[in-house]
């Protein structure tokens, strides 16, 4: 399969009032096209920094980041970002929230884009709620709305920064299945940052394991678990083996979350 996202010897430094921080050190990894990859590592190792670099919000101090063979640009339209919070505006309807990105890009009268928004709402069982306000939706539904808002812009790569962390455990399991189904259904490439090892294994084709700061690659673990949803994959016979492998890799790095 084609290497769609490539980190090539990426090093990153940033300044604080006290000193220069070495965040990433010659980091190398790749994500194949239409694959779902997760990044795990100790708290503070630079996982969110990696997403910011991938989104073009930061520039590497050294090295190169390529998407489909081309360098990442600032505000790169090929990339969509899904944050920890859904960031829906409570005074706007679901339809107005979903089309917000189109408004900002002055594409809110683009018939093709509006048709896509409508199709996605219907496809993922939210069309009947399009005139509701976010406060009238459950946490899981809000996350689906936030993802549709991103998908309407038709990015090639989706970045997910712990998007389930604000949800209770039961809702989190259901939303993981929903988001996975949507991303796979729309044939997008995805890169997820998470502290939850079980979440990383159950959602991913590849788990990228980082060292402590300055972060470098410890291991890339390729997965092919039984099951067609993250919840089913948690029941796979190899799940415990992979969990133990990642846990062992990260024990010395003091990862803070257990299953």
């Amino acid at each position: 399969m084609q290497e769609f996202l490539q980190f090539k010897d990426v090093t990153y430094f940033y300044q604080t009032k006290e000193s220069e921080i070495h965040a990433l050190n010659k980091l190398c990894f790749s994500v194949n096209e239409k694959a779902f990859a997760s990044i795990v590592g100790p708290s503070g190792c630079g996982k969110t920094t990696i997403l910011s670099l991938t989104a073009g919000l930061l520039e590497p101090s050294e090295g190169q980041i390529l998407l489909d063979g081309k360098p990442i640009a600032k505000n790169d339209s090929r990339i969509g970002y899904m944050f920890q919070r859904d960031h829906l505006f409570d005074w706007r309807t679901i339809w107005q929230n979903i089309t917000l990105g189109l408004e900002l890009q002055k594409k809110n009268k683009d018939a093709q884009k509006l048709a896509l928004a409508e199709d996605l709402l219907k496809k993922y069982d939210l069309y009947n709620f399009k005139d509701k306000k976010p406060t009238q939706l459950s946490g899981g539904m809000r996350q689906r709305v936030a993802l549709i808002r991103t998908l309407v812009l038709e990015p090639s790569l989706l970045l997910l920064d712990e998007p389930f962390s604000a949800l209770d455990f039961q809702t989190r399991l259901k939303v993981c299945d929903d988001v996975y189904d949507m991303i796979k259904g729309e044939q997008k490439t995805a890169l997820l940052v998470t502290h939850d090892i079980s979440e990383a294994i159950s959602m991913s084709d590849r788990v990228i394991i980082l060292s402590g700061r300055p972060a470098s690659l410890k291991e890339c673990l390729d997965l092919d678990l039984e099951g067609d949803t993250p919840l089913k994959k948690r029941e796979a016979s190899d799940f415990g083996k992979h969990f133990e492998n990642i846990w062992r890799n990260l024990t010395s790095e003091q990862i803070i979350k257990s299953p």
Side-chain angles (χ1 to χ4, degrees):
M1 292 183 71
Q2 180 185 356
E3 292 182 336
F4 190 62
L5 173 66
Q6 296 173 283
F7 266 59
K8 295 186 170 185
D9 290 320
V10 173
T11 295
Y12 183 70
F13 296 89
Y14 65 90
Q15 296 291 142
T16 68
K17 290 182 179 179
E18 293 77 27
S19 63
E20 182 177 70
I21 304 298
H22 190 182
L24 307 178
N25 186 51
K26 295 189 178 300
L27 181 61
C28 294
F29 69 83
S30 64
V31 179
N32 290 337
E33 189 173 19
K34 299 180 184 177
F36 198 121
S38 292
I39 297 175
V40 297
S43 182
C45 74
K47 297 185 292 297
T48 298
T49 298
I50 290 170
L51 292 190
S52 295
L53 287 162
T54 306
L57 303 175
L58 301 173
E59 293 185 9
S61 303
E62 299 174 11
Q64 194 174 29
I65 305 170
L66 300 178
L67 183 63
D68 198 18
K70 299 176 182 177
I72 299 286
K74 188 175 182 180
N75 299 320
D76 200 312
S77 62
R78 298 174 295 169
I79 298 166
Y81 209 125
M82 190 171 175
F83 297 93
Q84 291 179 358
R85 304 283 178 176
D86 56 56
H87 294 297
L88 300 180
F89 293 111
D90 289 338
W91 62 88
R92 295 175 69 102
T93 65
I94 299 308
W95 176 257
Q96 289 168 338
N97 270 284
I98 282 173
T99 57
L100 177 61
L102 298 179
E103 284 183 36
L104 295 174
Q105 293 184 1
K106 303 195 183 303
K107 296 178 180 179
N108 53 317
K109 293 184 179 179
D110 184 322
Q112 183 178 348
K113 295 285 189 183
L114 295 175
L116 174 60
E118 191 169 287
D119 288 346
L120 288 169
L121 281 171
K122 291 176 179 177
K123 188 174 182 179
Y124 298 110
D125 300 322
L126 287 165
Y127 187 76
N128 290 337
F129 299 91
K130 67 184 180 70
D131 296 319
K132 303 289 187 183
K133 298 291 179 63
T135 53
Q136 297 173 276
L137 272 58
S138 68
M141 293 169 76
R142 290 174 65 111
Q143 286 295 63
R144 278 154 52 204
V145 169
L147 181 53
I148 289 173
R149 180 181 58 194
T150 303
L151 291 172
V152 165
L153 299 175
E154 299 186 276
S156 302
L157 174 67
L158 288 170
L159 306 178
L160 299 94
D161 189 0
E162 298 197 69
F164 317 116
S165 59
L167 304 173
D168 63 78
F169 183 70
Q170 186 174 355
T171 302
R172 185 170 181 151
L173 292 176
K174 177 65 169 64
V175 176
C176 281
D177 276 5
D178 290 343
V179 169
Y180 178 88
D181 179 61
M182 292 169 73
I183 290 173
K184 288 296 185 179
E186 301 307 314
Q187 298 186 312
K188 300 299 181 182
T189 308
L191 183 62
L192 167 72
V193 157
T194 180
H195 279 91
D196 190 319
I197 296 174
S198 295
E199 190 171 273
I201 296 170
S202 65
M203 296 192 76
S204 304
D205 309 301
R206 167 171 287 184
V207 179
I208 298 156
I209 307 169
L210 302 180
S211 71
R213 194 172 68 199
S216 60
L217 181 68
K218 292 196 77 173
E219 183 180 351
C220 269
L221 181 63
D222 290 315
L223 305 174
D224 186 19
L225 296 180
E226 304 162 358
D228 56 359
T229 68
L231 188 59
K232 288 292 185 183
K233 289 183 179 185
R234 288 173 183 254
E235 301 170 5
S237 57
D238 288 345
F239 186 89
K241 178 188 72 175
H242 291 308
F243 187 99
E244 184 180 352
N245 179 30
I246 296 173
W247 178 258
R248 190 168 53 245
N249 252 306
L250 293 174
T251 297
S252 62
E253 306 291 346
Q254 298 178 338
I255 192 165
I256 62 173
K257 190 157 188 171
S258 59

